Amino acid sequence: MNNLSFSFTSNDFLLMLQGAGITFFLTLVSGFAGSVLGFLVGWGRSLGVKWLYYPLGIYIEVIRSVPLIIQFVLFNSFLAIAGYPINPFVSGLITLSLYIAAYVAEVVMAGIHSVPPTMVRAARGLGLGYFQSFRYVVVPIGARTVLPSWTGLMLGLMKDTSLIAVLGASPPELLRASQIVITRIQEPLAILIGAGAFYFVMCHVITLAVQRYERSWTSKGKVEA
């Protein structure tokens, strides 16, 4: 431990802190983009139209079946072969978004199907059109159902960002930054414990934010009731 205190410098800490920031950035951006795309895909499948249901289903099955690390390599290589090479960091961000969208789509579809058909029919009977009943009835009720599952997906996504290192993306995310520090000071256990602490704090922040939003949502519903 004395060796660690001597070898571990403020620059090492700043590198890991920067890596944590990159990890958090990747999670937020790909999580948002993937959630929007996943919502559209899940909604499209819930319509039951064959020309939407089956192609979107193939997309979901392929994404969920192929390991993420292979998706990183294939997507980046495909762009290069096609003559459109892009920054590995951007390529990884797009891959993460497409990956998480497939899982969000299944959660969204389950949320839509969790809304009792009688409530939808009642809304339509009151004169609401399809889009109005979907917006004011299906989405609010379904969102409450899927929020815990969606939160779990986002926490898993944060840990999956470490795989972007296979592309050599720069600046490095948290795990890659930790590996750089480990290579220099040769204290893997202590550094990995520190990296785990960073992951815990970031996951805890997301969990608290979702819980706070859920409580405010519940309180708002009680007031309106």
Side-chain angles (χ1 to χ4, degrees):
M1 188 60 67
N2 290 332
N3 291 335
L4 174 62
S5 62
F6 176 77
S7 303
F8 188 79
T9 66
S10 59
N11 288 334
D12 294 325
F13 176 78
L14 290 176
L15 179 61
M16 293 183 65
L17 185 62
Q18 181 190 39
I22 295 300
T23 293
F24 203 68
F25 173 81
L26 287 169
T27 303
L28 291 181
V29 175
S30 61
F32 175 78
S35 294
V36 172
L37 178 59
F39 175 81
L40 295 176
V41 173
W43 180 26
R45 293 200 77 206
S46 71
L47 296 175
V49 182
K50 290 185 178 180
W51 62 270
L52 273 177
Y53 184 87
Y54 291 108
L56 293 178
I58 293 174
Y59 157 70
I60 291 174
E61 288 304 314
V62 169
I63 293 295
R64 294 174 61 183
S65 301
V66 179
L68 179 56
I69 192 170
I70 295 179
Q71 294 181 41
F72 278 127
V73 176
L74 291 180
F75 183 73
N76 194 61
S77 300
F78 174 79
L79 291 177
I81 294 173
Y84 299 101
I86 61 176
N87 185 288
F89 186 88
V90 178
S91 173
L93 191 58
I94 295 174
T95 304
L96 283 171
S97 301
L98 295 174
Y99 170 77
I100 199 63
Y103 289 89
V104 171
E106 289 293 275
V107 170
V108 168
M109 191 172 176
I112 292 174
H113 289 163
S114 70
V115 180
T118 52
M119 297 190 69
V120 179
R121 287 196 294 267
R124 299 298 294 273
L126 293 173
L128 296 180
Y130 171 79
F131 289 104
Q132 288 179 313
S133 60
F134 184 80
R135 176 182 176 184
Y136 295 110
V137 178
V138 177
V139 170
I141 296 175
R144 286 180 170 85
T145 303
V146 306
L147 190 58
S149 298
W150 178 86
T151 303
L153 289 177
M154 294 303 108
L155 297 181
L157 175 64
M158 177 172 289
K159 288 167 279 190
D160 288 334
T161 58
S162 62
L163 297 177
I164 200 174
V166 300
L167 301 178
S170 181
E173 42 69 47
L174 177 56
L175 189 57
R176 178 56 183 156
S178 301
Q179 291 172 342
I180 294 173
V181 177
I182 290 173
T183 300
R184 194 185 71 80
I185 68 175
Q186 297 299 311
E187 290 285 352
L189 183 59
I191 298 303
L192 289 178
I193 289 175
F198 273 116
Y199 277 113
F200 172 79
V201 170
M202 291 188 292
C203 289
H204 193 56
V205 167
I206 292 178
T207 302
L208 288 178
V210 173
Q211 289 176 346
R212 182 175 180 181
Y213 179 72
E214 190 174 16
R215 285 195 298 268
S216 66
W217 201 355
T218 304
S219 300
K220 183 180 178 180
K222 290 180 180 179
V223 171
E224 291 178 350

